[in-house]
Structure formats: structure tokens, C-alpha cells
Amino acid sequence: EAGVAQSPRYKIIEKRQSVAFWCNPISGHATLYWYQQILGQGPKLLIQFQNNGVVDDSQLPKDRFSAERLKGVDSTLKIQPAKLEDSAVYLCASRLGQTTDTQYFGPGTRLTVL
Amino acid sequence: AQSVTQLGSHVSVSEGALVLLRCNYSSSVPPYLFWYVQYPNQGLQLLLKYTTGATLVKGINGFEAEFKKSETSFHLTKPSAHMSDAAEYFCAVSSSSGNTGKLIFGQGTTLQVKP
């Protein structure tokens, strides 16, 4: 079974530029999460989708971050404009159905903002 | 609100020694508890989880954890450390109520295994 795919794996940009990350969850997984992991910290949820609807985006900085999940499959996370403090690893995870089901994580995208 | 505290950001053990990584949680509802491992430049991999039932949970790679409600703890143990166990370990909690299943993670503990 293929895992969660993310691209790119690494990205370096200047502050105030824009960037987009892509995630392809495990086939059939209805729930998709984006987490931000700052160096030395645990991951923090940014946004959760159930199929193509947003369940929780309370921690998403909506003035600069946006996300969508077209057709309830792939998802993109965008930052515009980027700030220095956005340097982090962005992790995508997916889950089949029940809240007790395991969340499977992708390898992450490491963003460096200069 | 839920939270997780991992005691000790770095733990160092000798190969073959007992591994003990500590995790305490705070939750107003019965929690679901998880341990994940992260190797360099990789995503998180589930080691084990507690949802309901038996409080001693066995996971992959010889790890186990015990849910102790009275102590609000979910410590991770392994009887004998291997060099390959060196990684970052995260404890996480989610709520048994609601339908989000979002994970609240601790700060992480880096495990070093010395030869």
C-alpha cells in the first residue's frame, strides 16, 4: 500500500515570496491533516479536512495561509507572503475513518525562509 | 483543553539498557494516547496507541506503554535498547469525544543509544 506522498521535499524561499506544498493521501482516506513542525517542537495542527470540507482550521494563520482539498483527494497548502517564522517542516497526514484509526504521516516538506 | 508533557528532551542509554521515555497528559475527557517515532528527514511512524481496553499496550520494535489514569501517564518502555532505536519520540493525545481526531503532541524526546 502506498503511503502519504508530499512534494517538494525541500524548499528555500525569500521572505515575502509565496510557496505551495502538495499532499496525496493514502487511497480511500477521508480525513486529511496538515501539521506544522518547528525545529525542536512537536507538530501542531494547521487544518483538517473531512473529504473536501474543512473540519478545523482554528490554528491556521488565515491572513497568509490557505489550503484546499479538491475532489476530496489531493490537497495543497499555500503561504503568501512567507515570513521568517514560517520556516518549519510541513507534514501531511491521512486517516481512514474512525477517530481511533491511525494517522499516517508523509515525509514532510522542509521550508526555509531567508 | 488537552496537553502533553514529555519529561526530558534528551535521554541517553547504553545499548542493551532499559529505555524509559516519560509522558504525562492532561484531558477533561477520556483520552486516546499515541507514541510516534521520527527518524531524521522522515515523517512520523506510529509505535503504539491506546484507545480502550487493556491498559498495557504493545507496539512495534519491542516497545510498550502503560496507560495509568490515576497518574495521567503513558510512559514508553523497551527492555533492551538497540542502536537503531536512536530517533525522536513524540507522545500525543486526542479526544475520545467529537469527531476530529486531531493529535496534540508533546515537545518530543531525543533518544541517544551509546555503543
Side-chain angles (χ1 to χ4, degrees):
Chain A
E1 176 180 81
V4 177
Q6 290 188 247
S7 68
R9 291 294 312 276
Y10 305 91
K11 190 73 177 179
I12 301 174
I13 62 173
E14 302 276 340
K15 61 182 179 183
R16 291 188 289 274
Q17 286 186 323
S18 63
V19 65
F21 314 127
W22 173 81
C23 171
N24 186 283
I26 293 172
S27 177
H29 281 199
T31 307
L32 184 147
Y33 305 84
W34 282 101
Y35 289 87
Q36 179 192 57
Q37 185 179 17
I38 293 173
L39 186 65
Q41 299 181 19
K44 182 186 78 173
L45 180 71
L46 290 175
I47 189 167
Q48 175 185 349
F49 292 93
Q50 180 76 19
N51 298 308
N52 60 351
V54 175
V55 173
D56 183 352
D57 63 356
S58 58
Q59 305 248 55
L60 188 73
K62 299 181 186 63
D63 57 334
R64 298 184 300 106
F65 286 65
S66 65
E68 60 182 7
R69 189 181 184 196
L70 299 176
K71 301 180 181 178
V73 181
D74 294 6
S75 177
T76 56
L77 177 69
K78 297 179 181 178
I79 308 175
Q80 181 178 11
K83 292 185 175 182
L84 296 177
E85 58 262 36
D86 298 331
S87 294
V89 176
Y90 291 84
L91 295 164
C92 180
S94 70
R95 190 190 86 213
L96 180 60
Q98 302 296 320
T99 55
T100 52
D101 289 338
T102 298
Q103 283 188 36
Y104 294 90
F105 284 80
T109 296
R110 182 177 298 276
L111 173 67
T112 302
V113 182
L114 303 175
Chain B
Q2 296 179 304
S3 65
V4 173
T5 302
Q6 291 183 239
L7 300 176
S9 58
H10 289 83
V11 171
S12 181
V13 301
S14 297
E15 191 173 19
L18 171 72
V19 175
L20 171 60
L21 304 182
R22 299 178 186 274
C23 172
N24 287 89
Y25 69 90
S26 172
S27 179
S28 58
V29 298
Y32 296 150
L33 295 160
F34 306 80
W35 275 100
Y36 279 85
V37 61
Q38 186 175 35
Y39 298 101
N41 298 316
Q42 294 186 28
L44 282 74
Q45 179 185 9
L46 182 71
L47 281 176
L48 49 80
K49 65 180 177 182
Y50 168 80
T51 54
T52 59
T55 56
L56 181 62
V57 180
K58 296 185 184 298
I60 62 172
N61 301 338
F63 285 94
E64 63 181 39
E66 186 171 10
F67 169 55
K68 292 187 176 181
K69 183 179 178 180
S70 61
E71 299 178 9
T72 60
S73 69
F74 192 58
H75 301 330
L76 182 70
T77 61
K78 182 174 180 178
S80 177
H82 296 161
M83 297 297 292
S84 60
D85 294 327
E88 185 90 14
Y89 291 80
F90 291 95
C91 182
V93 63
S94 73
S95 175
S96 58
S97 68
N99 193 33
T100 69
K102 75 176 184 181
L103 296 173
I104 308 296
F105 286 89
Q107 295 282 81
T109 298
T110 300
L111 177 65
Q112 180 187 23
V113 182
K114 297 177 292 185

